[in-house]
Amino acid sequence: MKKIWARKAAVFEGVAISIGLWLFSCSNLYACSCAPQPTPQEALRDADAVFRGTAIQVGDVDMKENAALLPMKKRIVLRVKTVWKGPHEKELVVLTGAGGGDCGFGFVLGGEYLVYAHVGGMPSGYHTGLCTRTRDVAWLSDRQNAQEDFQALGPGTPIATVESRRFP
């Protein structure tokens, strides 16, 4: 009986070691760990761009042409509605990770977001992620946090779009 349990224990130990080695050898294994979130005012001060916009394109970054952007796997084009800081453009491009363990923010086509974006540390463009105060304005769990931010940030500067202009 002891031999059977010893054999089962050895098999279990071997499987556990194999799984552990496989996990540690995975090159795309990431863990997202964030510091406590700053206040909206602190996040505004530290960000390079803060704006509200709608995701009009969500796609993958071409890793063959942009190897330096390795942690940034998604490219999002947002139609800007309001700006608190940064360029007053109708559209802005933001890069983020794929989501989950690499701290990428899960943008969805057509979703409306409050984005806190940064430039530093990346070769080009703005980037954001889960560790910023970026929020999905419509998602129930983020809605209250976004409203708190909007109150703290104030009205911002609306960006006129073709659809919102009135022609005489």
Side-chain angles (χ1 to χ4, degrees):
M1 189 65 130
K2 286 185 179 182
K3 286 184 180 183
I4 293 173
W5 283 108
R7 186 174 293 163
K8 286 183 178 181
V11 169
F12 178 77
E13 186 177 321
V15 170
I17 290 172
S18 296
I19 290 172
L21 290 173
W22 176 76
L23 286 173
F24 285 113
S25 69
C26 290
S27 61
N28 289 333
L29 186 63
Y30 301 102
C32 182
S33 179
C34 303
Q37 293 239 321
T39 65
Q41 294 86 354
E42 291 168 338
L44 175 66
R45 180 194 67 218
D46 296 341
D48 294 299
V50 178
F51 60 94
R52 180 178 186 164
T54 302
I56 58 172
Q57 288 181 18
V58 177
D60 295 328
V61 171
D62 183 353
M63 298 311 290
K64 291 178 184 173
E65 294 181 16
N66 298 292
L69 299 176
L70 183 59
M72 299 295 142
K73 297 180 179 176
K74 295 288 182 183
R75 179 181 183 274
I76 296 82
V77 179
L78 295 117
R79 180 171 293 125
V80 179
K81 293 183 176 184
T82 308
V83 174
W84 286 270
K85 185 175 182 180
H88 289 68
E89 302 288 334
K90 291 179 185 177
E91 294 180 2
L92 288 174
V93 175
V94 176
L95 303 176
T96 193
D102 69 356
C103 298
F105 191 88
F107 288 92
V108 176
L109 186 63
E112 189 173 347
Y113 301 93
L114 171 61
V115 179
Y116 290 83
H118 302 270
V119 175
M122 296 304 300
S124 64
Y126 291 106
H127 60 91
T128 193
L130 292 176
C131 296
T132 69
R133 287 190 69 93
T134 294
R135 308 275 190 227
D136 181 331
V137 173
W139 194 34
L140 187 59
S141 64
D142 267 0
R143 189 179 308 145
Q144 183 176 356
N145 293 329
Q147 293 307 319
E148 175 188 323
D149 285 40
F150 291 140
Q151 287 177 352
L153 295 171
T157 304
I159 302 300
T161 61
V162 173
E163 294 83 22
S164 66
R165 289 187 188 156
R166 294 187 185 175
F167 295 99

